[in-house]
Amino acid sequence: VAALEPFLATGAELGARHVITAPYDFDLGRLADRLAELGELGASYGLRALLEFFPWTVVPDFGAALRIVEATGRTDTGVLVDTLHFDRSGSTLEQLDAAPRSRLPMVHVCDAPAEKPSTTEGLLHTARAERLPPGEGGLGILGVLRHLPPGIPIALEVPMARLTGEIGAEAVARRVREAGDRLLRELHHVSGGTAAGPTR
C-alpha cells in the first residue's frame, strides 16, 4: 500500500475525492486489511477509498462488497455501485435501502441490454468494451439512482469500442454526454426536483 502514495498524492493534486479499488484477492481478510490501509493513507490526502464489486470476482455483488467495507473498521470507506455490475450480479434495491447512506458516496452509470451474458467472457466483454449510454438499454438505471443518496456524483462509464472505431471518440463522448443529460432531467422530474449531481 505504501507504494501507492505517489498515486494518491497525484490524485489529490488533481482534485480527486475518491480512490476506486477492485477485489482481486482471494483472501478476503487480507483484502479488507489492505483496503483499510489504503483508506488510512488516502485519508491523509483527503481521499476516500471505495470498493467496486464485479460478478466474476470473489466479491461478486453489493452485499459481499459491503461486508468487506464494514470489515475494514473505517467509517469513511465506501462501496462503488456501477449500474452494470449491480444488475449483472443480481444485487437488489432492498440491499441499497438497508445500507448506511455514508457507504454510498458516488455511482457509475451506464446501460446495457437487459439479457445477461451467460459466460464470464460475455460479462467481461460488455463491461470493458461494449456498454450503452443511459436510456439505450434495459438496466433500470432510474430505479437504482432513486435508491441512492440524493446529491452524490454520477460518473458516466460507457466504453463503446466498436462505435468509437466507426465514428470516433469525440462523437461517442457527445452521444454519451447527451444521454447523461437526459437521464438527469428525467431523474430530476421523477424525484420532484431532488436529483443527484453529475460529475463533469
Side-chain angles (χ1 to χ4, degrees), residues 140-163:
I141 297 169
L142 278 175
V144 174
L145 294 180
R146 291 174 69 188
H147 288 263
L148 291 171
I152 64 172
I154 296 174
L156 300 172
E157 185 178 26
V158 191
M160 302 178 74
R162 181 187 58 77
L163 190 62

Side-chain angles (χ1 to χ4, degrees), residues 98-183:
R101 302 291 85 186
S102 62
R103 297 294 191 189
L104 303 167
M106 68 173 291
V107 59
H108 275 177
V109 169
C110 73
D111 219 330
E115 183 177 357
K116 295 178 175 61
S118 58
T119 65
T120 298
E121 290 73 18
L123 290 169
L124 289 167
H125 178 70
T126 301
R128 296 174 176 174
E130 296 297 343
R131 304 189 185 199
L132 293 173
E136 296 188 18
L139 295 189
I141 297 169
L142 278 175
V144 174
L145 294 180
R146 291 174 69 188
H147 288 263
L148 291 171
I152 64 172
I154 296 174
L156 300 172
E157 185 178 26
V158 191
M160 302 178 74
R162 181 187 58 77
L163 190 62
T164 298
E166 293 174 359
I167 67 174
E170 184 176 344
V172 169
R174 186 177 298 111
R175 174 173 165 180
V176 171
R177 169 61 184 271
E178 291 170 353
D181 286 342
R182 289 193 297 271
L183 175 70

Side-chain angles (χ1 to χ4, degrees), residues 3 28 33 38 41 109 113 117 119 134 138 140 142 197:
L28 298 185
D33 290 342
L38 182 65
L41 183 59
V109 169
T119 65
L142 278 175

Side-chain angles (χ1 to χ4, degrees), residues 13-92:
E13 185 176 352
L14 293 172
R17 290 182 290 169
H18 303 100
V19 181
I20 300 170
T21 68
Y24 291 105
D25 191 336
F26 287 99
D27 186 330
L28 298 185
R30 182 173 59 198
L31 176 63
D33 290 342
R34 293 293 181 269
L35 185 59
E37 292 175 27
L38 182 65
E40 182 176 5
L41 183 59
S44 67
Y45 289 95
L47 299 170
R48 293 185 62 184
L50 306 182
L51 179 63
E52 186 171 10
F53 58 92
F54 308 104
W56 56 84
T57 68
V58 293
V59 184
D61 54 33
F62 179 80
L66 184 61
R67 288 191 293 273
I68 294 293
V69 165
E70 296 283 358
T72 67
R74 296 190 60 86
T75 59
D76 59 349
T77 304
V79 177
L80 174 62
V81 173
D82 180 300
T83 54
L84 177 67
H85 305 318
F86 187 85
D87 175 84
R88 297 318 195 216
S89 67
S91 299
T92 67

